[in-house]
Amino acid sequence: MSIKLAIVMPAYNEQDCMADVVKIWSDLLDSEFASEETRLIVVNDGSKDNTGKILDDIQPLYPKLIVIHQKNGGHGNAVVHAYKKAVEIGAEYIFQTDSDDQFIPEDVKLLWEKRHQSSFILGYRQVRHDDPFRLLITRILRYSMFAVYGTFIMDSNIPFRLIEGNFLRKLLAQLPNPVPFAPNIFLAIMAKKAGEELFNIPIVHKERATGEVSIRKMKLLKVCWQSFKELLNFRLTLNEKIRNVKKQQPVQV
């Protein structure tokens, strides 16, 4: 049986909620997709706490759980690794989220209902529970993207997105190398420019109950400047990449 849906998530130092998050998303697969073949792929991005051990300990309890351990390469690197694994196992649809327990799994259905209307669907944190500095940076990035690309996306980096598997394969093949700091932004831009309706569906965003945000204040400002420069450079090759995405033949990632 082919895999209908793979949920993918990066994980870094989430020992306090990791077991609960795996259970929550595994329960969603078992309840909402009981008749389908599904997988939950978690990439442990070199966590310094017990996240990796917890994942290994609970893996036998969840037959659909795939655990991948890698050296710390950052959130974006872990996300791309998870995407590539989902594409490799032939998932028809891939849903990406984070492991910090800030989203409600039931909201996946809001995106799932639109899957026949678009190959790339985004959620949108209409009420976002993050610190004011992070919210300001996000707003600046949103309007910077509009200035550079003429593309307005409400929440381009949101870790709550549903992507058709073959379309994701094409997008991944066009990502810059090395992987940019925030690859989800690049994927959203390419999808929008390729003509996909992203929908920007309002979803619930919860306050973080455990762990700590790994990027704060000046470090956040630094990586946002890095992302902006990466986006400027990407603009030079965007038209060619969009042509490649629109091609019908399969590609290797």
Side-chain angles (χ1 to χ4, degrees), residues 27-56:
D27 286 349
L28 174 78
L29 292 177
D30 289 341
S31 61
E32 298 297 330
F33 301 91
S35 63
E36 304 286 357
E37 191 73 12
T38 56
R39 295 291 184 274
L40 172 61
I41 302 171
V42 181
V43 175
N44 171 36
D45 185 38
S47 296
K48 297 178 181 179
D49 63 2
N50 289 321
T51 297
K53 183 179 185 303
I54 291 170
L55 286 168
D56 287 340

Side-chain angles (χ1 to χ4, degrees), residues 9-22 42-59 65 67-70 99-100 208 210-212:
M9 64 174 68
Y12 179 73
N13 289 355
E14 297 290 359
Q15 63 178 12
D16 293 335
C17 68
M18 195 72 255
D20 290 338
V21 168
V22 168
V42 181
V43 175
N44 171 36
D45 185 38
S47 296
K48 297 178 181 179
D49 63 2
N50 289 321
T51 297
K53 183 179 185 303
I54 291 170
L55 286 168
D56 287 340
D57 287 346
I58 65 176
Q59 187 171 23
L65 175 61
V67 177
I68 300 172
H69 299 285
Q70 68 172 33
S99 57
D100 52 13
R208 175 184 275 267
T210 60
E212 296 183 357

Side-chain angles (χ1 to χ4, degrees), residues 23-176:
K23 183 180 188 307
I24 288 169
W25 289 97
S26 295
D27 286 349
L28 174 78
L29 292 177
D30 289 341
S31 61
E32 298 297 330
F33 301 91
S35 63
E36 304 286 357
E37 191 73 12
T38 56
R39 295 291 184 274
L40 172 61
I41 302 171
V42 181
V43 175
N44 171 36
D45 185 38
S47 296
K48 297 178 181 179
D49 63 2
N50 289 321
T51 297
K53 183 179 185 303
I54 291 170
L55 286 168
D56 287 340
D57 287 346
I58 65 176
Q59 187 171 23
L61 304 176
Y62 300 98
K64 298 177 180 179
L65 175 61
I66 298 174
V67 177
I68 300 172
H69 299 285
Q70 68 172 33
K71 293 182 180 179
N72 181 251
H75 181 276
N77 182 280
V79 167
V80 170
H81 193 170
Y83 280 147
K84 289 184 175 180
K85 181 62 177 180
V87 168
E88 175 189 315
I89 63 176
E92 185 177 351
Y93 292 95
I94 294 101
F95 175 81
Q96 189 260 321
T97 189
D98 277 350
S99 57
D100 52 13
D101 195 25
Q102 289 192 270
F103 295 101
I104 297 176
E106 289 74 17
D107 279 349
V108 172
K109 291 183 286 186
L110 301 176
L111 279 64
W112 187 253
E113 290 170 356
K114 301 283 189 181
R115 68 189 183 280
H116 297 306
Q117 298 174 248
S118 176
S119 295
F120 194 104
I121 304 169
L122 293 182
Y124 163 52
R125 292 168 283 197
Q126 192 170 22
V127 178
R128 184 171 175 180
H129 294 283
D130 284 322
D131 65 79
F133 187 76
R134 182 175 288 264
L135 295 177
L136 175 62
I137 293 296
T138 299
R139 183 169 298 179
I140 292 172
L141 180 60
R142 181 187 301 161
Y143 288 99
S144 297
M145 283 173 50
F146 181 73
V148 174
Y149 291 97
T151 298
F152 191 81
I153 303 174
M154 293 300 297
D155 205 345
S156 62
N157 200 34
I158 188 172
F160 204 92
R161 53 187 59 207
L162 180 68
I163 313 172
E164 192 271 329
N166 288 330
F167 187 64
L168 178 58
R169 181 187 294 273
K170 294 179 181 181
L171 293 177
L172 290 174
Q174 302 307 317
L175 271 181

